[in-house]
Amino acid sequence: MVGCFLAFAKSVPLGSFVLPPAQPILQVQDLAISFGRGAYPATRGLDFSLAPGEVVGLVGESGSGKSVTAYGLMGLLPHGAKVDRGVILWKGQDLALTPPKKRRDLCGRHLGLVFQEPLSALNPVYSIGEQVAEIFRYRAGLSRAKAKAKAIELLGQVGLPDPQGAYASFPHRFSGGMRQRVVIAMAIALSPELIIADEPTTALDPTIAAQIIQLIQNLASQRGAAVLFITHNLRLLTGLAQRILVMYHGLIVEELTSFQDLQHPYTQGLWRALPPEPGLREDRRLFPIPGQAPLPGEEIRGCAFAPRCPKAQDLCRLTPPLLRPLGPNRATRCHLSR
Ligand code: SF4
């Protein structure tokens, strides 16, 4: 049965892989973020980069540190969270050394964040149009009339059927899928060079989720933007991401460019736990990963996945594995990897 799963995994390609240009726009080096003055580490030393036009998936269970990473990149960490160490370079510029106002401007203009919960990202007392037009007025300096025209045009571009009507509507009148389109419109309004999409389809049914993913993919390719797509569902990244980073307990445990030859037992477990693809008749059982992911503050001596890993050995419980390169854009953090 397990062989059946791996055969299924091997049959699913990622997006066509293109080697990134030499100069990434974003470089993250040894990024550690914690809550409670270091008591609850959320990320424990992340290293990754994104090239222009590249779509990278960041995947893992709840609590693995994915969303904290997104908010850390944007400079929007919640109260109580802080960057303990590491560097975030935007086109070579260290964001930690950038004055706060300049950083807000830079992130607002060049990085667009698509929030997980569109309802909480939208202000219920302002119309949809006012919220989109505000970006053009205050960030791009357009007149009221021009900002309105741009907002209506953008609402049409993200697939809202009646952009004029949508402009005057309020968030509570929209479905979850329509609200997510509005949030995407706000994220891409200033043509950012990097779109960070934080579980943008979590609250949506599969059909709408597929439309939203297609929309992000189209917008990114039309505008040449890089995308960091955060999700707990590996399957969503099929045909979308050119590279996938798998996170567990605040660390990247595997980097993939294809679903063939998954090396890390956690990534293999994520595959086996996927429900059958809608519309496909797959005769297989689900194999949930046993146990629970460690809590953010939990210190584990060896490999953090050892308590749940079917292959764990004494070495795993004593010594934390390092992330070992396996080839171009391929790496794994497991003592047993080949
Ligand atoms: Fe499993 Fe050991 Fe690999 Fe950790 S290092 S994933 S416990 S085999």
Side-chain angles (χ1 to χ4, degrees):
M1 190 61 76
V2 169
C4 171
F5 281 118
L6 294 179
F8 162 67
K10 288 174 183 178
S11 70
V12 183
L14 291 181
S16 54
F17 177 60
V18 180
L19 276 177
Q23 283 302 321
I25 48 172
L26 179 79
Q27 289 169 282
V28 175
Q29 297 168 354
D30 195 28
L31 181 66
I33 300 172
S34 69
F35 290 83
R37 297 171 186 264
Y40 303 101
T43 70
R44 296 164 182 261
L46 300 182
D47 291 279
F48 63 91
S49 62
L50 266 100
E54 196 184 17
V55 181
V56 172
L58 189 60
V59 69
E61 291 167 286
S62 297
S64 59
K66 312 181 299 292
S67 294
V68 171
T69 303
Y71 289 99
L73 297 180
M74 294 294 296
L76 296 174
L77 285 175
H79 184 68
K82 70 176 180 64
V83 174
D84 294 321
R85 64 169 197 274
V87 180
I88 303 169
L89 297 173
W90 176 257
K91 296 184 178 175
Q93 178 179 348
D94 186 343
L95 292 183
L97 302 179
T98 307
K101 183 177 177 318
K102 199 165 170 212
R103 180 171 183 178
R104 275 198 303 279
D105 268 9
L106 190 149
C107 289
R109 190 167 292 276
H110 299 290
L111 283 72
L113 178 61
V114 179
F115 290 90
Q116 194 174 127
E117 288 293 339
L119 193 55
S120 51
L122 295 169
N123 190 326
V125 301
Y126 289 102
S127 73
I128 296 290
E130 283 175 302
Q131 295 183 60
V132 180
E134 184 183 88
I135 298 169
F136 292 114
R137 285 199 69 201
Y138 297 108
R139 288 211 174 263
L142 298 189
S143 67
R144 187 182 291 272
K146 282 188 177 157
K148 179 175 180 180
K150 288 282 281 181
I152 290 171
E153 182 188 337
L154 188 56
L155 291 172
Q157 283 173 7
V158 297
L160 289 170
D162 172 17
Q164 292 268 4
Y167 186 92
S169 282
F170 284 80
H172 70 273
R173 299 183 67 90
F174 276 20
S175 67
M178 289 168 77
R179 283 196 286 262
Q180 194 55 283
R181 286 175 192 272
V182 175
V183 169
I184 291 170
M186 293 167 73
I188 64 164
L190 299 178
S191 298
E193 292 166 84
L194 170 61
I195 300 169
I196 301 173
D198 181 18
E199 306 235 26
T201 59
T202 300
L204 306 177
D205 67 52
T207 310
I208 304 297
Q211 291 173 8
I212 293 295
I213 289 168
Q214 187 69 56
L215 175 64
I216 292 173
Q217 194 171 19
N218 290 348
L219 290 168
S221 63
Q222 284 160 12
R223 294 164 182 243
V227 177
L228 182 65
F229 195 101
I230 296 173
T231 178
H232 61 273
N233 184 347
L234 266 179
R235 178 177 285 129
L236 283 188
L237 300 171
T238 306
L240 170 69
Q242 289 139 8
R243 246 178 343 122
I244 293 179
L245 307 171
V246 182
M247 274 190 82
Y248 191 77
H249 200 42
L251 287 172
I252 291 169
V253 296
E254 186 150 23
E255 179 174 2
L256 308 164
T257 54
S258 141
F259 289 133
Q260 293 183 1
D261 195 23
L262 305 179
Q263 285 283 314
H264 198 282
Y266 178 58
T267 318
Q268 293 169 357
L270 288 176
W271 261 115
R272 290 181 197 128
L274 283 175
E277 195 164 1
L280 277 188
R281 292 177 62 192
E282 292 175 35
D283 181 20
R284 63 185 180 87
R285 281 172 48 212
L286 299 186
F287 286 84
I289 300 174
Q292 300 286 327
L295 296 170
E298 206 171 325
E299 284 304 329
I300 297 172
R301 186 169 171 198
C303 171
F305 190 57
R308 308 171 75 189
C309 180
K311 299 176 182 170
Q313 303 178 358
D314 288 347
L315 170 67
C316 307
R317 297 183 189 93
L318 295 172
T319 310
L322 300 175
L323 191 66
R324 278 203 302 124
L326 301 176
N329 297 309
R330 284 284 286 120
T332 190
R333 190 184 292 275
C334 175
H335 289 305
L336 302 191
S337 63
R338 285 175 274 132

